[in-house]
Amino acid sequence: MPGEGVSVSMARANWSTGYMQAAIYRTLLQELGYEVSDPAEAELAPATFYPALGEGEYDLWVNGWFPIHTTLIDDAGVADVVSPIGNEIVAGGLQGFIVDKATAEANGITMLDDIGDNPEMAALFDVDGNGKADLMGCNDGWGCQVVINDTIAQNGWEDTIEQVSAEHAALFADSVGRFNRGESILQYIWTPGAFTAELVPGSDVIWLSVGNPLPSQVGAAALPAEQCPGQPCEMGFVAADIRVVASNEFLVANPAAAALLEAVSIPVIDIALQNLAYDGGANTEADVQAAADDWIAANRATVDEWLAAARSASGFTPPPPPEPEDMEPFRVAVVAPSASNDLAFTQSMYDAVNSLVDSGEIAEFAITDGTFIVEDAAAAIRGYADDGYDLVIAHGSQYGGPLQEIAPDFPDVSFAWGTAVDTFGLDNVYSYSVRSDLGGYVNGVVAAQLTESNVIGVVGPIEVGDAKLYVDGFAAGATAQNPDVEVNIVYTGSFADVALAAEAAQSHISAGADVLTGSAQMVVGATGVAQENDVLWFGTQANQTPLGDDIVVASQVYRWEVILSEVVEQVKAGTLGGTTFIMTFEGGGLDIQFNDAMNLPAEVMASAEATIAGLSDGSISTGQ
């Protein structure tokens, strides 16, 4: 009994299709003498389990789905202390999106793209009345939730498709009910499971293919056209390997357990049959354990071989880290209109690219800044392309014209530009933009609580792009918080004229403003006037606290690295463009950074946090 006297802490995933597997493994470990905790008492989402596994709170679970859980393990920072082990089910985790066959056939829908690219099609699946298709998706903390959101973002479908994240079983039950009432449904499901027994592909529903899946999820499923009409059937998810994940410390200390976990495999059909029985009413913990015991009894000879091999195991060695791929260093160049240290638009991109250099995603970074004259910028963009840079970023909406002419001359170079949402139909151009109205709204809510005169001044550059979005969002937030607040807005007509910004700030203060905000690199002129008059300031684009730590309350910070990381990954995988990215609070792309020196009242900070939450879940709108 190699496990005698050894306690094992085991968890299980919070989806019922994995319950029997957990019970099987627990029982087999007990046959080796281990004292194993009941995994039903530690039912967790993957995003919760993996950090806890790395911290030593648990020893293992049997519900790893790969490759989608690789990102969760990496994000938890535990890849060097935990290991997937064994091949519980190889390529058995099929997952993707289904729609009811009636709606699909009536509207010619075979791909998720047909819904995401067509607002009229999206409206067919709108449950909550906001015009977007409601994709009934995954629980918070599941890997599929991340993949679905990233797929929507990569394809620019934020305005047509939204994932509904809640208890998956409840979402699926709701979809079944709506299907039975003859309503349209759009649902995420997986196998093994009983889902395809209730809504049968090819008869009740069809699988949707995805034209542009994430690079990590490319791989067509071998499904017939009557079940998946969009051939090849790229489902947005590569078929998953279901594997045990355990702490390296546990595996090294317990070679018998490691050998058992390495050996066990369970046929998909056996799991599917148990899932059907579970959904049919055999759903107590006693029922699950009985199913596990029956499976072990039916496979006793094989199980005994696994146990015999485990008893004589010599040890476990964690796998070495993967060797770096043999590839050329990835080079990125940026052309920007203002100085790299402007504490505004250009610095937000400069800091973002440098963060990717620090993380190793980029090997070389060059920048030509201060190119407000478009002709000078065009020469710099062409020069970097001539020099063979992998990605050239034209960081300014004024650069669209020359970029549209330059990019076709360099089909092997990837270009990105913003803030904009147009790729010109070119497959080597990305565009990027930002919902700056979101952070503007938060700043406005806070500003309305700090003004004593009830007069707030806004110094805008030119009434376009992210600058206008920010200004409009700020005004909306301030007046929503306090309808008595007067928000005076002045556009200087220039992104760079510091003197005009100073004049506008002085005019606002003369009109009674005791709080100011503004956008673009010219704000240094406005913040200087604000500091001279002890007037509070709210920043955007970059953290502007260095412009006056006694006046700057908070800054909306653009963390372009969130989308740039995805762009770099796509370029490395061979996709050079064709996608628009729009940055929001989701994933940390927008960040409200408060100046700790201001010592804001707790109720003000609480209102800011509540506003961010409301903007994120859609319960608050900026009106944009």
Side-chain angles (χ1 to χ4, degrees), residues 328-333 364 380-392 410 412-415 571:
E328 292 294 321
F330 195 88
R331 304 165 70 218
V332 174
E364 182 180 332
I381 293 167
R382 184 173 290 277
Y384 283 126
D386 270 329
D387 289 342
Y389 276 79
D390 299 287
L391 174 63
V392 180
F410 299 92
D412 296 328
V413 175
S414 178
F415 298 87
V571 175

Side-chain angles (χ1 to χ4, degrees), residues 130 153-154 197 298-299 331 398 603:
N130 67 356
Q154 174 173 291
N299 295 274
R331 304 165 70 218
Q398 63 267 49
E603 60 271 19

Side-chain angles (χ1 to χ4, degrees), residues 424-439:
F424 315 118
L426 298 174
D427 59 10
N428 66 330
V429 174
Y430 291 98
S431 62
Y432 56 87
S433 191
V434 58
R435 284 289 308 277
S436 53
D437 55 308
L438 299 175

Side-chain angles (χ1 to χ4, degrees), residues 31 299-309 311:
E31 290 196 28
N299 295 274
R300 189 75 250 181
T302 301
V303 166
D304 286 342
E305 291 178 4
W306 296 339
L307 295 172
R311 293 186 183 100

Side-chain angles (χ1 to χ4, degrees), residues 43-62:
E43 187 168 302
L44 306 172
T48 303
F49 170 72
Y50 289 120
L53 180 65
E55 293 285 334
E57 187 174 346
Y58 301 101
D59 296 311
L60 71 126
W61 79 352
V62 303

Side-chain angles (χ1 to χ4, degrees), residues 8 27 37 57 78 116 124 178 234 286 351 367 380 390 496 511 567 610:
V8 179
T27 300
S37 67
E57 187 174 346
V78 299
L124 298 173
R178 287 188 288 111
E234 287 281 359
D351 290 345
I367 186 168
D390 299 287
V567 170

Side-chain angles (χ1 to χ4, degrees), residues 315-331:
F316 171 81
T317 302
E323 292 292 328
E325 296 182 15
D326 185 14
M327 59 187 301
E328 292 294 321
F330 195 88
R331 304 165 70 218

